[in-house]
Amino acid sequence: MNKARRLATLILTRNTYGRKYLFRRAFELNQRHVHPFDVAYGIHTSGFVPNFLTHPGANIFKLTSRENNHYAGCQPSCLRKALRSLPNTSQFTFYDLGCGMGRALVTASEFSFREIIGVDLSRELCAIAVNNAQKIARSFPNRPPIRVEQADANAIEPQSDKIVVFMYHSFGRTTLTPIVEKFEQLSMSGSDIFIIFENPVNGDLVERSTSFRRWYAEQIPCDPDEIEHHSDANDGIVVWRSVDAIPAHMSACRDFEIVITKPTWRAEIVYAGQ
């Protein structure tokens, strides 16, 4: 970005109307390259929104901070495979922390959950996610209800003792640490919790917890029609579960490492022997 454009963007992000203009412009540009998931469902989750537009009160210099990451929808094929690894989830509540426009929420609605809840700091992204959720409710009335909350992910207080938490590299380490600690406390109190981390750049924060054990992990190829909408041809995804909820007869997930291939940006799953 050249200096003049950067200065203009900085000025615009310092007032409400300027931010609305930049967000609307980003949204319009995103609709020129629509993900097949959006075409299939008649919703809007496509494209990229920089983090300085998704964080209230922030400006372009937030690009250097990775505590609140840019918006880009997850790849449904990867999340679906992780969700298929879970047992019966009809009594579980699905949380997407950093839900953006709600692509993961809609993907989760294809599965049996008691409720689906998205949390995001951005008013604009939440408004789009709510609209998408309403379309899904009208088209698929038998699917689990989707609710969207504009809130800080650290502020949520889950009301269920059966929880599936999803994150698509939404936060930096400073933000993610207390989130993991909160779910550790819930797990130690007897809650059955799955944590699903797509592109687990900060997955070591869950890995080192004694409250969770590996459940599933894979480097998953994107579906052919997804590839042109993603920066890579595959995504790593890891699932952990509350250690006390894993049946004694079940063996641990195969040995693997979470390897950071692009600092602060991309992680891959590498199995032993590869």
Side-chain angles (χ1 to χ4, degrees):
M1 182 181 294
N2 60 45
K3 290 183 178 180
R5 186 179 175 189
R6 190 178 182 89
L7 178 61
T9 303
L10 174 60
I11 294 170
L12 285 169
T13 56
R14 288 190 180 277
N15 68 86
T16 301
Y17 295 106
R19 292 179 65 83
K20 285 183 177 179
Y21 165 77
L22 289 174
F23 190 92
R24 185 171 63 252
R25 179 64 175 159
F27 184 75
E28 289 170 352
L29 291 173
N30 288 340
Q31 298 316 302
R32 297 179 183 179
H33 194 57
V34 179
H35 195 287
F37 186 79
D38 288 6
V39 175
Y41 277 116
I43 58 175
H44 299 290
T45 67
S46 297
F48 172 90
V49 180
N51 62 353
F52 67 87
L53 288 179
T54 64
H55 190 297
N59 59 50
I60 196 169
F61 292 118
K62 273 285 181 179
L63 280 170
T64 61
S65 169
R66 299 308 302 275
E67 284 305 312
N68 177 59
N69 282 326
H70 314 299
Y71 168 76
C74 70
Q75 298 312 311
S77 59
C78 298
L79 177 54
R80 286 179 183 126
K81 198 158 186 183
L83 291 174
R84 290 187 190 112
S85 79
L86 308 185
N88 183 358
T89 56
S90 61
Q91 298 304 309
F92 281 74
T93 298
F94 179 95
Y95 283 88
D96 180 3
L97 304 186
C99 68
M101 299 183 195
R103 185 181 295 171
L105 302 178
V106 176
T107 303
S109 78
E110 299 171 353
F111 294 78
S112 177
F113 285 103
R114 189 177 73 176
E115 187 178 18
I116 296 171
I117 300 173
V119 179
D120 203 283
L121 203 58
S122 168
R123 180 182 294 106
E124 294 85 357
L125 292 179
C126 283
I128 296 170
V130 167
N131 188 50
N132 288 332
Q134 291 171 344
K135 289 181 178 179
I136 295 301
R138 288 194 296 268
S139 299
F140 303 94
N142 293 325
R143 288 194 179 187
I146 299 174
R147 178 157 55 92
V148 179
E149 299 179 6
Q150 185 199 347
D152 188 319
N154 272 312
I156 66 163
E157 296 295 339
Q159 301 302 307
S160 171
D161 61 356
K162 294 182 180 295
I163 302 167
V164 175
V165 184
F166 174 72
M167 293 174 287
Y168 183 38
H169 186 32
S170 305
F171 316 108
R173 299 180 71 80
T174 301
T175 303
L176 185 57
T177 297
I179 292 174
V180 173
E181 289 173 349
K182 176 177 289 188
F183 286 110
E184 282 181 320
Q185 292 297 319
L186 290 171
S187 179
M188 288 188 288
S189 298
S191 294
D192 187 359
I193 301 173
F194 289 94
I195 296 179
I196 304 176
F197 207 151
E198 186 171 348
N199 190 22
V201 172
N202 296 310
D204 62 294
L205 295 176
V206 187
E207 271 284 274
R208 67 193 188 195
S209 171
T210 57
S211 298
F212 297 98
R213 193 201 301 177
R214 296 172 173 183
W215 176 267
Y216 167 83
E218 191 172 350
Q219 193 69 26
I220 302 173
C222 297
D223 283 349
D225 60 356
E226 294 177 337
I227 291 176
E228 64 176 299
H229 301 271
H230 194 39
S231 57
D232 297 277
N234 50 65
D235 250 350
I237 198 162
V238 183
V239 182
W240 295 267
R241 187 179 188 180
S242 298
V243 64
D244 292 337
I246 297 179
H249 68 275
M250 290 192 63
S251 60
C253 182
R254 286 192 297 157
D255 289 340
F256 67 87
E257 290 184 58
I258 299 174
V259 178
I260 306 301
T261 55
K262 298 176 185 176
T264 77
W265 186 252
R266 178 170 167 81
E268 296 184 10
I269 308 307
V270 178
Y271 291 103
Q274 283 188 333

